[in-house]
Amino acid sequence: MTQTTVLELIEHSATQLDAAGVSYGHGTANAFDEAAWLVLWRLGLALDALDDVAEQAVTPEQQAQVAALLAERIRTRKPAAYLTKEAWLQGVPFYVDERAIVPRSFIAELLMDGGFDYWLREETRDVLDLCTGNGSLAVLAAMVFPEVAVVGADLSPDALAVARINVDRHGLQDRIRLVESDGLAQLAGPFDLVLCNPPYVNSGSMAALPAEYQAEPALALAGGKDGMDFVRKLLQEVSAKMRPLAVLVLEIGNEREHFEAAFPALEVFWLDTSAGEDQVLLVTREALLQI
């Protein structure tokens, strides 16, 4: 192999990814960013240090290592996060593997930007992160609100094992309790704030998902025919686990049309995220009691 620089290697890798037709959406949105992630990680360089190392020479041995990783990405169609065992959400690193979906919730943006602080009170103390997956939203909630106690709940013991790694990694064992629960069944409450990024992908969309998404646990994605199976049960039951002035922040992705068809009379507030105002909604306990 001829001598090349880090930037040249990234550009070459991006061309290969594009030619192979891989899909993005698990932390990156395009071939260059995906290639940069894989190359920098494989070379042991900081993911935010490209400008500093762009002209750094890469040895033939390092090029071979990158080539092997790139080949694995293309062959397996696994998201890069499963290969590197790490994902970043709002600048915070999280361990991840195939036992949990790759964290990418827009609720993370809202947590960090104060996107629903208006509906919270000084007395907000108990937070539930339902369908916690790898525990990323529970960790971010504990970081943003240092006075609260957080319960991270999930049906999957495998996902909770990943969440345990992240809770321990960020030293939040005393403030985050992890609970195996089928929906709300094993949760007592009451909670002041409920966060939920549930399985909401409708069956038609599930069948059409790229291989990268099919590499994730279907349990965390599939929401039934209209994507609302889990959400229907949640909205029927969650008010009983909430304090009088509590709110639910719910992510439904690209399923707003199905959500509004399922709950035409429910008063909700759509929250502004980097993907628009269709991804995440907020609903009060008072509104839920009208269902």
Side-chain angles (χ1 to χ4, degrees):
M1 292 184 181
T2 59
Q3 187 174 35
T4 188
T5 67
V6 170
L7 181 59
E8 289 170 340
L9 185 56
I10 290 172
E11 291 172 339
H12 176 66
S13 299
T15 300
Q16 289 182 274
L17 291 173
D18 259 347
V22 303
S23 292
Y24 312 106
H26 292 86
T28 66
N30 57 68
F32 182 87
D33 289 348
E34 184 95 352
W37 183 359
L38 292 169
V39 170
L40 292 171
W41 177 81
R42 182 75 284 171
L43 297 180
L45 301 171
L47 299 186
D48 59 355
L50 178 55
D51 289 345
D52 298 329
V53 300
E55 300 306 316
Q56 182 175 307
V58 183
T59 67
E61 180 183 4
Q62 289 174 319
Q63 292 180 56
Q65 292 172 345
V66 168
L69 179 61
L70 206 68
E72 184 180 7
R73 172 69 177 91
I74 292 169
R75 176 180 57 82
T76 66
R77 288 305 201 263
K78 289 182 180 180
Y82 285 162
L83 302 179
T84 66
K85 305 300 183 189
E86 188 166 67
W88 294 72
L89 202 57
Q90 294 297 298
V92 179
F94 294 98
Y95 174 85
V96 68
D97 61 33
E98 288 88 342
R99 293 175 292 177
I101 65 170
V102 178
R104 51 187 178 272
S105 175
F106 290 107
I107 294 175
E109 289 182 12
L110 296 163
L111 276 169
M112 302 301 273
D113 296 344
F116 49 81
D117 285 1
Y118 172 81
W119 282 273
L120 304 182
R121 299 168 298 122
E122 288 187 10
E123 295 83 7
T124 296
R125 289 293 180 269
D126 294 290
V127 176
L128 169 63
D129 175 26
L130 187 61
C131 306
T132 194
N134 83 329
S136 52
L137 291 183
V139 167
L140 291 179
M143 290 179 169
V144 170
F145 306 121
E147 302 299 320
V148 307
V150 182
V151 172
D154 205 288
L155 173 62
S156 167
D158 283 343
L160 289 171
V162 178
R164 168 53 58 198
I165 293 171
N166 286 311
V167 170
D168 292 351
R169 174 179 185 170
H170 291 287
L172 292 167
Q173 303 93 322
D174 293 340
R175 297 187 45 223
I176 299 177
R177 183 167 61 92
L178 299 175
V179 179
E180 183 180 338
S181 181
D182 184 356
L184 295 162
Q186 282 72 48
L187 302 171
F191 299 101
D192 301 296
L193 169 64
V194 179
L195 309 173
C196 186
N197 182 20
Y200 55 67
V201 182
N202 70 71
S203 56
S205 296
M206 280 294 297
L209 284 177
E212 282 81 357
Y213 291 87
Q214 294 177 16
E216 297 181 293
L219 180 70
L221 296 172
K225 184 176 181 180
D226 66 350
M228 293 296 112
D229 284 3
F230 184 96
V231 175
R232 281 189 183 87
K233 187 173 175 61
L234 171 65
L235 296 192
Q236 289 168 358
E237 299 177 353
V238 70
S239 61
K241 311 285 185 174
M242 299 168 74
R243 289 200 173 97
L245 298 178
V247 295
L248 165 67
V249 176
L250 177 68
E251 183 158 340
I252 49 90
N254 297 316
E255 304 291 345
R256 178 170 177 169
E257 183 178 348
H258 285 137
F259 179 87
E260 291 181 333
F263 308 101
L266 180 61
E267 181 184 10
V268 305
F269 301 91
W270 293 95
L271 303 177
D272 189 25
T273 73
S274 61
E277 296 182 351
D278 294 337
Q279 302 284 320
V280 182
L281 62 93
L282 179 145
V283 58
T284 66
R285 180 178 183 270
E286 183 179 4
L288 289 167
L289 291 172
Q290 306 306 312
I291 295 179

